Amino acid sequence: MNAVSSCHIPVLLAEVLQWLDPKPGQLVVDGTLGGGGHALAIAQRLAPTGKLIGIDLDPAALESAAARLTGLPVALVHGNFADLPEILRQFGIPAVHGILLDLGMSSLQLADPNRGFSFTQDGPLDMRFDPTQGEPAWRLVNRLSAKNLANLIWRYGQDRYSRRIAQAIVAHRQREPITTTGQLAAIIHACVPRRRGDRIDPATRTFQALRIAVNAELDTLQKALKQLPDCLLPGGRLAVISFHSLEDRLVKQAFAGDNRLQVLTRRPIRPTQTEIEQNPRCRSAKLRVAQRGPQSPH
């Protein structure tokens, strides 16, 4: 087992294969390639005459997945899944049979301290999926006012201590800039109590909120949900795995309110207890699936 496969376990893999049901000769998009676990299983089913288009914002993810997917009918793209209509035009493909989005960060990103996603390892406070563009998290925490920081932490992290955390961040940066994950985690741990039995570290929600803000994740998802149905062939399926309520709510509402789609999963599909025991990070995952109606795409 190589380094990629040993630290990347695709979430809800059996369920994704069941609901997308990829077949030889079909065209499928993995809009969040990550470590390539889903892509590997899907591409094996599409071979030899089909194709999987794997998209990711993270150049490191593309490089790792490329090695894992060698010999399979896969085309890799450095880009954003919200730009799928343009990506398909570049390939000369009008529409596809299936699209998968596995939202949030990958295990590979979380495990690399230099990426700044984890508060358990000290490293640069970056958090960008694509480190070649955008504003890193350390700039946000050193630039925003206490009010705006509190609003950000509350909106994207739903942390009831958002004001206290924001004030502690501002007080600390008056003494020295906040540039590392270790600094930020220590600030939060010093001002937020952790009750006995709490499963969630006090820093979790703030780190989540900053990651979502840095990468404009919810705006990107909203844009994608409006455009992706037109990228599907009649009968094609869109499967989305989300990991927190903000994402899941957007997916649920978009599916229910789109007359191009038929909702196939009335309730989200959750991991089995066996999968959670094997991969605790998947415990909050929810899979929703919708199918394109009989209308032809534009």
Side-chain angles (χ1 to χ4, degrees), residues 36-82:
H38 290 113
L40 175 65
I42 293 170
Q44 288 172 338
R45 294 200 174 193
L46 300 177
T49 55
K51 176 180 280 189
L52 181 132
I53 299 174
I55 304 169
D56 208 287
L57 279 167
D58 188 344
L62 292 168
E63 183 179 351
S64 295
R68 192 176 195 185
L69 300 169
T70 300
L72 290 168
V74 175
L76 302 185
V77 178
H78 179 216
N80 192 315
F81 60 75

Side-chain angles (χ1 to χ4, degrees), residues 6 31 43 66 72 109 136 147 150 155 158 161 167 171 178 190 199-200 223 231 237 249 261 266 271 284 293 298:
S6 64
L72 290 168
Q109 291 166 331
K147 179 181 178 180
R155 181 183 179 191
Q158 300 175 306
Y161 295 107
Q167 290 166 356
I178 302 167
R199 290 195 311 167
I200 299 177
K223 176 185 175 183
C231 297
R237 293 185 175 184
R249 189 179 304 122
L261 297 174
R266 290 191 176 184
S284 60
H298 296 306

Side-chain angles (χ1 to χ4, degrees), residues 92-209:
I93 297 172
V96 298
H97 298 89
I99 301 170
L100 171 65
L101 302 181
D102 180 4
L103 304 174
M105 59 186 165
S106 73
S107 300
L108 297 173
Q109 291 166 331
L110 188 64
D112 185 352
N114 292 317
R115 302 301 300 275
F117 291 105
S118 174
F119 50 79
T120 62
Q121 305 176 82
D122 194 25
L125 187 60
D126 195 307
M127 297 193 184
R128 291 173 293 174
F129 290 153
D130 184 350
T132 67
Q133 61 182 4
E135 182 178 32
W138 66 264
R139 285 187 182 165
L140 274 183
V141 299
N142 288 290
R143 174 175 63 79
L144 295 180
S145 66
K147 179 181 178 180
N148 288 340
L149 271 172
N151 288 342
L152 185 155
I153 295 168
W154 172 251
R155 181 183 179 191
Y156 297 139
Q158 300 175 306
D159 194 318
R160 59 177 174 158
Y161 295 107
S162 58
R163 290 183 181 178
R164 183 186 298 183
I165 294 168
Q167 290 166 356
I169 288 172
V170 171
H172 185 97
R173 78 189 190 197
Q174 289 173 348
R175 299 191 299 273
E176 63 173 347
I178 302 167
T179 59
T180 70
T181 57
Q183 281 178 292
L184 181 59
I187 293 166
I188 298 168
H189 291 153
C191 72
V192 177
R194 184 169 188 175
R195 294 182 176 87
R196 184 185 304 174
D198 279 355
R199 290 195 311 167
I200 299 177
D201 188 285
T204 301
R205 293 185 175 91
T206 297
F207 271 68
Q208 172 185 294

